Amino acid sequence: MVEAGRYSLLFEPVRIGPVTARNRFYQVPHCNGLGHARPQAEAAMRAMKAEGGWAVVSNQETEIHPTSDLSPYAEGRLWDARDIPALRLMTEAVHDKGALAAIELAHNGPHALNQMSRAPILAPSDMAAENLIPRQARAMDKADIRDLRRWHRAAALRARDAGFDIVYVFAGHYMTLPHQFLLPHLNDRTDEYGGSLENRLRLTRELLEETKAAVGDRCAVALRFAVDEMLGADGMQAAEEGRAVIEMLADLPDLWDVNVAGWPNDSATTRFRPEDGYQTDYISFVKQVTRKPVVGVGRFTSPDMMVSLVKKGVLDFIGAARPSIADPFLPKKIEEGRIEEIRECIGCNICVSADTQGVPIRCTQNPTMGEEWRRGWHPEVIPPASSRSEVLVIGAGPAGLESALQLARRGHDVTLAEAEEAPGGRVLRESRLPGLGAWRRVADHRIHHLRQMGNVQMFMQSPMTAQSVAELGISHVFVASGARWRSDGVGRTTRRKPPAISARARVFTPDDIMDGRLPQGRVAVYDDDQIYLAGVLAEALALSGCAVTFVTPASVVSPFTQLTLEQARVQARLIDLGVDIRCNRQLAGLEEDALRLACVYSGREEEHACDAAVLVTERQRNVALHEALKAQGLETLELIGDAAGPGLIADAVYAGHMAARNFGRDADKIELEWFRREITSLAL
Ligand code: ADP
Ligand code: SF4
């Protein structure tokens, strides 16, 4: 039990310009794939954070004008007054739960491709658009800059009318004009908006002054600013121009929201930045330079670290995006001393991958994230069962653990049987790989809770068979038996022409590596999965002393990790470890001492000497038990998680959660309702 008052410092109100936050927990702006496309879902998701105790709940970068059109991504949109009602849904819902609502106004310059609006792309200087499209951005002339200021001011007024309490000027992530004007490599102007720092900062200053003049009587005006590009002398550094910017603007904003650039640095994964508070070294000077409150981020989940950062005068507000996604009730749990109940973010960036694909947010740790409106899910509350049943869950991977926990929370008597010595399934195995240690939290959180519950029995080393299930006599059975990696080389690109694998070849699967059966010598890792695992396995093998060749039909290593903002680091790490990377190559054949590769474009073959190969292609579902149980006439028999469809850990947790919620519901109703949709209005 936490002693009273230990974290009380975190629950002091803090003034921000004309408004007051009820405590120090501040959900900084973050994208969520809901935005203007799904405003009711956005409102409900943000309101859940407010209910969970966050004092400030921000939306996400919000386009202020059609020249900042981020389509097809669903960010915020406030082009004109017709966008106000959708945003008001959020402010009202957030206010209702006692929090302040913040809006991150943004003009994205060459980061906005204006694919829907077909407006010209604006930038400080003539340049290629940020993404690969065949249109360039044009340097803004004075009239463009005057327009931009007018658009920003008008958007601030609309934000105030929509009910926002805090209005942002956004100069970070390379994504907005204020930041782009600040950085010399993006701004080669020779007028008063280019050249000296004072000139490059002029636009930010003007936007701040004009936003304050427009709405500052009612709304606080925040500046989100990236103090350091993390490029050393090749970029803006906190100790030099980063500090100078804060000195020059000092008390002009009502709040400083400080971080590092770009987004992959700001939202670094635990795989590459394992430590909580990884931005603190860069931002700790800010409070010495301004008298205004400061918020910073860095995957904070430890309340002791939070208290120490406030006490040391580093931060006034504990900022969070991902920790608030993984646990919207983090502040409430700290306030009530329920520290053990915090669902800690594992820093996997699956949440980010949804935004980068333009689909609704999801979270590995919190399966209810993004489902607040469309399914009515709450992260802390699950409806009790109308009648209590005995339930058997087979397999204690992420799907089995989550379903067992939620079934028990609904009041059922749960038996959880696992073949292995320890619960955790793939989470436990993958978390042993380099950089993935934090992923264990997915299992640990659930195991901790299951162990507290009187209506749960957990049996390890208990491989279930159809016979042992029959002997148990439990008629509601969930099979979460997972999947195993196949060893025949068949996968995404080799279906038509599977590789010829000699009987003498030494073939390993990812399961072998994770179970500690390691090859030696010259090892080829063949990645036709193209998600994340092969890259981690190659790293593990290189660290174990193997001479690793990484082969993939893809044009980069682990292409999925582009969506989690990690790809460049993944590839750089393999290069640093001396891994020989061969992209655009398909596995054609495998012999005892060599591997035959075919160019994916020309079909031309080449041979490489190797002693063993690790084939990372596809998984095969473990369905034998489920098939055998079909004959038993059980009242409930449901296959869940990777056994029903291999995917991410997030998918397995989600499937487990869904199964527990649906248990006992009328199947026809589930089929009919599916989930609520925000159907596009036909009104003009
Ligand atoms: P998921 O991601 O769907 O949860 P995992 O592969 O992580 O799947 O976990 C599946 C778990 O199920 C593994 O820990 C495995 O040992 C266990 N398991 C598989 N078959 C049985 C069985 N017949 N009896 C008990 N446990 C099983
Ligand atoms: Fe954290 Fe991963 Fe959830 Fe994102 S998806 S909030 S990184 S646990």
Side-chain angles (χ1 to χ4, degrees):
M1 197 58 205
V2 175
E3 74 267 23
R6 177 156 172 185
Y7 302 124
S8 54
L9 185 64
L10 301 174
F11 294 92
E12 292 171 346
V14 181
R15 199 161 176 78
I16 315 173
V19 299
T20 301
R22 62 183 163 180
N23 63 39
R24 297 181 185 274
F25 288 90
Y26 192 118
Q27 183 244 281
V28 297
H30 72 78
C31 304
N32 62 10
L34 302 172
H36 64 79
R38 303 168 186 94
Q40 296 172 101
E42 167 95 23
M45 179 272 215
R46 303 293 178 188
M48 195 62 80
K49 313 269 194 91
E51 185 182 330
W54 299 86
V56 178
V57 177
S58 310
N59 77 333
Q60 55 194 312
E61 58 178 344
T62 302
E63 307 162 354
I64 61 170
H65 190 261
T67 52
S68 180
D69 160 28
L70 294 163
S71 304
Y73 301 102
E75 313 296 330
R77 180 165 286 171
L78 190 44
W79 290 0
D80 59 47
R82 288 172 296 180
D83 295 310
I84 292 177
L87 287 165
R88 195 177 284 133
L89 289 178
M90 172 192 155
T91 58
E92 286 175 354
V94 164
H95 290 160
D96 209 38
K97 303 289 182 192
L100 299 174
I103 182 165
E104 187 183 41
L105 298 184
H107 193 297
N108 294 77
H111 179 70
L113 305 181
N114 300 341
Q115 293 280 59
M116 188 176 80
S117 69
R118 301 190 70 175
I121 302 173
L122 303 177
S125 309
D126 280 347
M127 65 178 74
E130 197 183 285
N131 284 9
L132 190 57
I133 60 161
R135 289 169 69 210
Q136 291 201 188
R138 75 153 195 254
M140 294 167 74
D141 64 15
K142 294 288 175 50
D144 289 327
I145 293 177
R146 276 196 300 278
D147 282 345
L148 169 70
R149 290 163 55 190
R150 185 166 50 80
W151 299 333
H152 200 280
R153 182 177 182 280
L157 289 168
R158 290 194 290 273
R160 180 197 65 190
D161 293 346
F164 285 99
D165 309 283
I166 300 174
V167 177
Y168 268 80
V169 173
F170 180 18
H173 286 177
Y174 301 117
M175 284 183 193
T176 60
L177 283 170
H179 199 215
Q180 294 149 3
F181 268 76
L182 252 178
L183 299 171
H185 77 283
L186 298 175
N187 177 353
D188 61 11
R189 305 175 71 97
T190 52
D191 63 3
E192 68 267 34
Y193 289 94
S196 68
L197 180 60
E198 192 184 350
N199 282 358
R200 285 181 276 123
L201 190 58
R202 189 175 309 279
L203 179 65
T204 304
R205 182 189 288 282
E206 287 171 345
L207 295 181
L208 276 172
E209 285 170 351
E210 288 159 4
T211 307
K212 282 195 88 169
V215 301
D217 56 333
R218 284 230 334 253
C219 309
V221 177
L223 177 59
R224 193 177 209 195
F225 169 57
V227 298
D228 201 295
E229 291 182 76
M230 299 183 76
L231 294 171
D234 289 337
M236 182 174 282
Q237 298 189 75
E240 297 180 4
E241 284 201 338
R243 184 182 182 105
V245 166
I246 296 187
E247 285 171 352
M248 289 160 82
L249 299 177
D251 293 342
L252 183 55
D254 295 312
L255 173 109
W256 282 94
D257 176 343
V258 284
N259 62 4
V260 291
W263 192 16
N265 287 330
D266 190 21
S267 291
T269 57
T270 40
R271 183 168 169 194
F272 295 97
R273 296 307 300 256
E275 68 286 7
D276 292 350
Y278 57 87
Q279 299 196 23
T280 306
D281 288 348
Y282 295 93
I283 60 167
S284 55
F285 75 91
V286 178
K287 262 189 73 62
Q288 297 153 20
V289 186
T290 175
R291 288 174 298 173
K292 295 303 171 82
V294 176
V295 57
V297 292
R299 238 191 294 107
F300 299 126
T301 45
S302 149
D304 290 312
M305 179 186 272
M306 295 174 192
V307 167
S308 123
L309 288 169
V310 176
K311 276 195 177 151
K312 279 198 240 154
V314 173
L315 293 176
D316 298 289
F317 285 104
I318 304 304
R322 290 171 296 173
S324 77
I325 294 168
D327 198 338
F329 279 66
L330 183 136
K332 272 248 155 78
K333 289 176 182 175
I334 296 176
E335 187 170 25
E336 293 166 8
R338 296 185 286 131
I339 310 302
E340 298 292 296
E341 292 182 30
I342 295 173
R343 220 172 13 251
E344 290 177 300
C345 168
I346 65 165
C348 61
N349 279 7
I350 292 306
C351 49
V352 171
S353 78
D355 179 64
T356 48
Q357 292 175 91
V359 297
I361 190 166
R362 59 216 56 202
C363 170
T364 305
Q365 274 284 51
N366 174 11
T368 68
M369 179 45 53
E371 304 290 345
E372 301 82 357
W373 181 82
R374 69 175 192 172
R375 291 190 191 273
W377 288 1
H378 189 290
E380 302 301 313
V381 181
I382 189 161
S386 49
S387 64
R388 189 171 179 151
S389 303
E390 260 195 280
V391 180
L392 170 65
V393 177
I394 300 171
L401 287 171
E402 175 67 12
S403 60
L405 177 60
Q406 300 305 339
L407 286 162
R409 283 193 169 146
R410 293 193 64 197
H412 297 297
D413 293 311
V414 177
T415 300
L416 176 59
E418 164 59 48
E420 300 288 331
E421 267 175 46
R426 64 179 286 193
V427 167
L428 203 59
R429 299 159 83 226
E430 291 183 32
S431 67
R432 293 187 198 117
L433 295 171
L436 303 189
W439 292 19
R440 243 192 100 110
R441 293 171 176 178
V442 175
D444 290 346
H445 173 78
R446 289 163 176 84
I447 295 163
H448 170 80
H449 284 284
L450 283 164
R451 289 204 170 123
Q452 323 281 309
M453 304 189 78
N455 54 339
V456 175
Q457 295 191 77
M458 290 170 70
F459 298 99
M460 297 301 110
Q461 295 175 291
S462 304
M464 301 300 289
T465 59
Q467 194 189 339
S468 56
V469 173
E471 282 164 12
L472 262 181
I474 299 176
S475 62
H476 301 287
V477 179
F478 293 88
V479 182
S481 47
R484 305 289 289 179
W485 289 90
R486 59 196 299 166
S487 59
D488 57 3
V490 172
R492 200 178 287 282
T493 66
T494 49
R495 195 145 256 108
R496 198 182 287 278
K497 205 172 168 192
I501 301 179
S502 145
R504 290 191 309 278
R506 275 177 291 276
V507 173
F508 292 77
T509 69
D511 294 309
D512 292 319
I513 312 301
M514 290 189 281
D515 290 342
R517 289 187 293 278
L518 298 188
Q520 288 182 336
R522 298 165 303 176
V523 179
V525 174
Y526 178 61
D527 182 18
D528 205 5
D529 174 49
Q530 305 183 25
I531 310 298
Y532 60 84
L533 194 63
V536 191
L537 293 172
E539 187 179 337
L541 291 170
L543 291 170
S544 79
C546 298
V548 179
T549 302
F550 188 93
V551 181
T552 176
S555 54
V556 295
V557 173
S558 305
F560 173 81
T561 60
Q562 285 164 342
L563 302 172
T564 55
L565 312 177
E566 298 168 291
Q567 196 281 328
R569 290 188 168 118
V570 171
Q571 192 138 354
R573 180 157 293 175
L574 294 197
I575 292 169
D576 284 349
L577 288 169
V579 173
D580 175 16
I581 297 172
R582 287 168 193 263
C583 294
N584 304 320
R585 300 285 191 281
Q586 231 163 23
L587 183 64
L590 191 58
E591 307 293 331
E592 188 177 6
D593 55 1
L595 161 94
R596 225 164 5 91
L597 304 179
C599 168
V600 294
Y601 301 113
S602 66
R604 200 170 300 135
E605 292 203 358
E606 63 198 37
E607 211 172 82
H608 287 281
C610 79
D611 304 311
V614 182
L615 302 184
V616 190
T617 59
E618 276 184 2
R619 282 174 283 169
Q620 286 173 316
R621 302 180 297 126
N622 297 329
V623 290
L625 176 60
H626 181 254
E627 287 300 316
L629 289 173
K630 281 182 180 169
Q632 287 195 5
L634 295 162
E635 276 183 77
T636 306
L637 175 63
E638 195 173 332
L639 191 65
I640 58 173
D642 285 310
L648 294 165
I649 293 171
D651 297 316
V653 172
Y654 183 76
H657 192 91
M658 173 83 82
R661 290 223 179 218
N662 281 344
F663 178 53
R665 284 183 70 202
D666 182 339
D668 290 342
K669 221 167 160 218
I670 295 170
E671 172 79 11
L672 263 181
E673 283 175 2
W674 199 232
F675 54 72
R676 287 207 283 173
R677 288 189 293 142
E678 304 194 49
I679 311 263
T680 306
S681 161
L682 298 180
L684 296 176

